[in-house]
Amino acid sequence: MNRRTSLALAAAGLTATLTLAGCSSDPTPRSSSPSPSDGSSASPGSEPQLTAADGYVPKPVGDLAAGFLVITNSGGTADKLTSVTSDLSDDVTIHKTENQKMTKVTSFDIPAGGELNLERGGNHIMFMSLKRQPEEGQKVRVELHFEKTAPMKVDLPVKPINYNPARH
């Protein structure tokens, strides 16, 4: 079996696994332009101010894994997530999902005063050819790379394969 066929089969297997594991996102979308909790508004000329939260990696099946988190920009300038690196894999990409089809992209916008949701059934981080099999309770370290902001290191806890946090 050649590498292309192996990758195609692995991607198909991951897609089926994520679908069976509840890969659909909550039908209620999160706002892409939340107001700051302190009642102030972001200054139009301020730099991006990025934070990451709600991250996780479902326990991998095979040599593929997906990662999910929310990046919030409380600054007044938009930024872009341009890549992700990790010691879990040398082949980490970012994907959008449209009409149940995953497509590799070069960046995701993070609007000023808004957020980027990487979530099941939608945009996500993809880890190919895993170097190890992380177990539930362990953490996967990722480094997020942006167009304007310095890289950010984030630990994503490994959750059960069917983990899907409720969004209210």
Side-chain angles (χ1 to χ4, degrees):
M1 184 179 322
N2 66 31
R3 178 167 166 72
R4 180 173 281 181
T5 302
S6 295
L7 286 175
L9 289 173
L14 178 65
T15 300
T17 300
L18 291 175
T19 300
L20 290 173
C23 187
S24 63
S25 62
D26 187 308
T28 307
R30 292 180 65 156
S31 169
S32 62
S33 300
S35 299
S37 60
D38 65 2
S40 66
S41 60
S43 169
S46 69
E47 295 295 316
Q49 298 293 319
L50 305 179
T51 56
D54 302 330
Y56 68 98
V57 172
K59 184 176 179 339
V61 175
D63 68 345
L64 299 171
F68 309 101
L69 70 148
V70 177
I71 301 170
T72 301
N73 182 358
S74 60
T77 302
D79 205 344
K80 291 180 184 273
L81 175 65
T82 56
S83 66
V84 179
T85 55
S86 176
D87 67 349
L88 183 62
S89 170
D90 291 330
D91 187 6
V92 183
T93 55
I94 52 178
H95 288 155
K96 69 177 181 176
T97 303
E98 291 180 330
N99 300 321
Q100 299 181 346
K101 180 176 167 55
M102 294 186 302
T103 306
K104 180 180 170 182
V105 297
T106 57
S107 66
F108 283 123
D109 292 330
I110 310 167
E115 61 187 28
L116 168 65
N117 292 310
L118 301 179
E119 60 190 351
R120 286 184 179 266
N123 302 332
H124 59 279
I125 300 167
M126 194 80 230
F127 304 87
M128 308 280 284
S129 303
L130 301 182
K131 295 178 180 179
R132 61 184 169 82
Q133 286 290 317
E135 297 295 327
E136 284 180 40
Q138 294 179 340
K139 293 186 179 179
V140 172
R141 164 84 33 120
V142 297
E143 186 169 84
L144 308 172
H145 301 268
F146 305 97
E147 182 178 70
K148 298 175 183 167
T149 307
M152 178 190 313
K153 292 183 180 176
V154 179
D155 289 324
L156 304 176
V158 179
K159 299 288 188 176
I161 190 167
N162 61 349
Y163 180 77
N164 195 4
R167 302 264 187 215
H168 298 285

